[in-house]
Amino acid sequence: LKHNTNLRGLDLDDNSITSAGFEKIRSTIDDPSSLNAMESCNHTCWVDRVEGNEQGMTPRQRRNRKLYQLLSTRHLDGSNARHLNGELGEDKYTIKLVPKVLHCIKRYSSDQTA
C-alpha cells in the first residue's frame, strides 16, 4: 500500500482489523515522523477512518495537506527549527535551504483547503 499508485480507495468499515493492523495501514498513508517519511507515504489512495485523508482529493492535494499539517503541528510545538536541523543537517549550507522550505510551507498552506 505504501508504494501504491493505482488503488484509489479503500473502505475499511465492517472489517475485523486489529488496532495494530489499522496503525500499520495508517502509517503507510500518514507518517509524521519526518518530512522524508511523510513524503514517501501513499498519497494516491483514500482510506476511510483516517483523519484528514479526504475523499475526492487529488494525490497532490493529499500530499500538500499532510505536509502542511506536519509543519503546522511542529510550529505549534515550537519544534520546526529542531526538526529541520535534524532532517536537513546543521552544516553551513543548511541555511540556504531555509528559503526553499519556507516557500514550500507557503505553497502548502495555500493548498490546505483544497
Side-chain angles (χ1 to χ4, degrees), residues 68-82:
Y68 175 77
Q69 184 64 40
L70 174 64
L71 295 168
S72 295
T73 300
R74 288 178 176 182
H75 174 73
L76 291 174
D77 293 341
S79 64
N80 261 329
R82 179 175 50 84

Side-chain angles (χ1 to χ4, degrees), residues 53-70:
N53 190 28
E54 305 295 327
Q55 192 170 17
M57 295 174 74
T58 66
R60 181 177 179 197
Q61 288 171 321
R62 280 195 188 94
R63 175 185 168 270
N64 290 356
R65 179 170 284 191
K66 292 174 195 177
L67 289 170
Y68 175 77
Q69 184 64 40
L70 174 64

Side-chain angles (χ1 to χ4, degrees), residues 11-24:
D11 188 347
L12 299 176
D13 280 340
D14 299 325
N15 284 296
S16 56
I17 298 173
T18 65
S19 59
F22 181 73
E23 180 57 28
K24 185 66 176 171

Side-chain angles (χ1 to χ4, degrees), residues 15-105:
N15 284 296
S16 56
I17 298 173
T18 65
S19 59
F22 181 73
E23 180 57 28
K24 185 66 176 171
I25 291 170
R26 189 202 61 76
S27 70
T28 65
I29 61 169
D30 189 6
D31 182 355
S33 63
S34 72
L35 287 174
N36 285 336
M38 185 63 77
E39 177 60 31
S40 69
C41 284
N42 180 329
H43 307 296
T44 303
C45 186
W46 166 79
V47 179
D48 71 338
R49 297 177 46 192
V50 175
E51 186 178 334
N53 190 28
E54 305 295 327
Q55 192 170 17
M57 295 174 74
T58 66
R60 181 177 179 197
Q61 288 171 321
R62 280 195 188 94
R63 175 185 168 270
N64 290 356
R65 179 170 284 191
K66 292 174 195 177
L67 289 170
Y68 175 77
Q69 184 64 40
L70 174 64
L71 295 168
S72 295
T73 300
R74 288 178 176 182
H75 174 73
L76 291 174
D77 293 341
S79 64
N80 261 329
R82 179 175 50 84
H83 280 96
L84 289 173
N85 280 337
E87 293 166 353
L88 302 176
E90 295 187 40
D91 64 35
K92 64 181 181 178
Y93 299 107
T94 300
I95 193 74
K96 293 181 179 183
L97 293 174
V98 173
K100 294 180 187 301
V101 172
L102 292 176
H103 172 75
C104 289
I105 292 169

